[in-house]
Amino acid sequence: MQPGLAPQLPSLPPLAAEVSHRKGTAWLVEDDGERIPLRKGMTIAPGDIVETANESFVSLHLPHGEDVVLPSNSRIVVKRQGRNGTRLYLERGELEANVPSQHDHSDVLRIETPTSIIGVRGTHFRVTYVDDATLVSTLAGEVALSHEGQTISVPAGQGARSSAASPVQTAALLPAPTVQEGGQPFDRSLQINLSKVEGAVAYHVQLARDPNFRSIIHDKRDTSPTIIFDSVPQGFYYVRGSAFDSLGIEGHQDRQLILHRPIEASLEVIDDGYKFHWTRIPRLEYRLQLSEDATFSEPFMNRSFATSQGVTLCNLPTDDFFWRLLVSGTSGELADYSAVVASGRQGAARQP
């Protein structure tokens, strides 16, 4: 390079958070208060607020490779982001973050709440702010929790609780409960059974499409280790469960991949009759009933099927009828066919 020459270097692209996943209703709230529905690929600038509604989930990919997941009813403010790190303010709700390990000793991600500051270099952790308390669970790595001028280390396997009314409390994370799918789903509901954990006061189950749980689609908590999700379509799901201790700190997680295969049935009108089809599952027996009234007190068809996955019916006495599909186990469970898995009416103005 000749003396006196000024090199023309290309400008570096701005570092910004990006929405990598959204399910349900979520907004970007700008400085002027305008609420813009979030969509995948949208960038988040300093000063913006991200807010999720009930049964809604958002994942953000941050400038240094961090992934932050916001579950339902959460609200964060992006206070700063750039080459020196990202600073988020958690106003309410919770977030889960996966932060790649850093080569220097600066905090690439800092989470602030009304009561505490959490400094992060590289780790996997959760932060919740609820009832004027900050709750931290460290699943991998280590975080630094600062509260009223005091900073403590919260290593992997530990949790902490801080509030304005009390000093910081720490505890070992509860062990993960075992996750199991419960029973045969005769309808679209999905039942998850967690093993009981000593010292647990509540349980938490999440469903996601990816093993890292950055694409969460369902989330539920209960004091019971049996948790049921309604209206879950057929498919493979990653399921993870955890338990809360008396401080409200969430513990370790167990993760399983399950196939949810509820029984589904349909009716198709064809040229010469009607074609019924249903999901065939081994060791179950199906009974198809057709009736001229909704009570099914005197069905004009009441037939059981053990091995087929459907039937075509022709020359029925009427084209205006009610139908329903019932199921039982071949070993005697539900012998009265009390489980109705599908029903409808043919010939009505509107099909169910």
Side-chain angles (χ1 to χ4, degrees):
M1 181 180 295
Q2 296 296 324
L5 291 179
Q8 299 294 321
L9 298 177
S11 59
L12 294 173
L15 295 178
E18 182 177 298
V19 178
S20 57
H21 168 76
R22 189 223 71 204
K23 191 261 184 184
T25 302
W27 305 273
L28 183 151
V29 185
E30 296 188 323
D31 287 339
D32 59 3
E34 182 181 3
R35 296 165 70 86
I36 302 173
L38 278 181
R39 63 181 185 276
K40 186 176 179 180
M42 180 180 289
T43 57
I44 311 298
D48 288 342
I49 297 171
V50 176
E51 185 175 336
T52 59
N54 190 40
E55 279 296 308
S56 301
F57 310 92
V58 167
S59 294
L60 302 177
H61 188 67
L62 302 186
H64 290 268
E66 315 96 305
D67 288 293
V68 172
V69 180
L70 300 178
S72 301
N73 304 310
S74 298
R75 180 180 170 101
I76 63 166
V77 181
V78 180
K79 300 186 69 172
R80 186 190 70 195
Q81 60 182 357
R83 304 186 189 285
N84 294 324
T86 299
R87 190 169 67 191
L88 305 177
Y89 183 74
L90 179 63
E91 288 190 356
R92 69 167 183 266
E94 63 184 282
L95 64 81
E96 178 177 347
N98 280 275
V99 181
S101 297
Q102 305 301 310
H103 296 295
D104 56 27
H105 297 287
S106 61
D107 292 339
V108 68
L109 177 63
R110 176 174 291 186
I111 309 296
E112 300 178 5
T113 72
T115 63
S116 302
I117 298 175
I118 297 94
V120 183
R121 296 185 180 92
T123 187
H124 178 198
F125 68 101
R126 292 186 299 262
V127 179
T128 301
Y129 182 72
V130 62
D131 296 332
D132 297 324
T134 298
L135 304 162
V136 177
S137 301
T138 305
L139 302 172
E142 186 176 8
V143 303
L145 173 66
S146 298
H147 174 72
E148 295 185 347
Q150 178 187 10
T151 299
I152 67 167
S153 173
V154 186
Q158 294 287 315
R161 183 184 191 275
S162 66
S163 69
S166 61
V168 176
Q169 299 170 278
T170 61
L173 300 184
L174 290 179
T178 302
V179 174
Q180 292 182 333
E181 185 176 6
Q184 170 60 49
F186 291 128
D187 53 22
R188 292 168 72 93
S189 64
L190 171 60
Q191 177 177 317
I192 300 298
N193 293 336
L194 303 180
S195 61
K196 290 187 177 181
V197 175
E198 185 177 355
V201 297
Y203 296 88
H204 187 197
V205 173
Q206 292 180 318
L207 308 184
R209 292 294 190 183
D210 70 297
N212 296 317
F213 283 78
R214 293 166 191 161
S215 301
I216 298 174
I217 56 176
H218 288 290
D219 181 300
K220 188 172 284 189
R221 305 170 189 223
D222 204 299
T223 55
S224 168
T226 298
I227 294 180
I228 299 175
F229 297 92
D230 297 324
S231 302
V232 179
Q234 176 176 312
F236 283 96
Y237 295 93
Y238 289 94
V239 182
R240 70 180 181 185
S242 55
F244 295 91
D245 64 15
S246 58
L247 293 175
I249 298 172
E250 188 171 0
H252 289 289
Q253 303 160 329
D254 179 38
R255 186 189 69 187
Q256 299 291 336
L257 176 64
I258 66 168
L259 171 60
H260 178 52
R261 196 182 181 205
I263 299 172
E264 298 181 336
S266 62
L267 165 60
E268 178 185 358
V269 180
I270 57 178
D271 292 338
D272 57 349
Y274 304 95
K275 186 175 182 180
F276 294 86
H277 184 273
W278 51 81
T279 305
R280 181 179 178 273
I281 297 178
R283 298 184 300 278
L284 292 181
E285 185 172 301
Y286 303 88
R287 181 172 293 273
L288 180 63
Q289 294 181 334
L290 276 59
S291 174
E292 294 188 42
D293 62 81
T295 66
F296 288 88
S297 57
E298 295 183 0
F300 61 81
M301 177 180 174
N302 187 10
R303 182 178 171 186
S304 64
F305 302 86
T307 59
S308 68
Q309 59 183 17
V311 64
T312 298
L313 302 178
C314 305
N315 302 318
L316 297 180
T318 177
D319 290 328
D320 186 357
F321 57 86
F322 294 86
W323 67 274
R324 68 183 184 184
L325 183 70
L326 302 93
V327 66
S328 74
T330 55
S331 60
E333 302 95 333
L334 301 170
D336 295 331
Y337 296 93
S338 58
V340 178
V341 296
S343 61
R345 183 180 178 185
Q346 168 58 32
R350 178 184 177 188
Q351 281 284 334

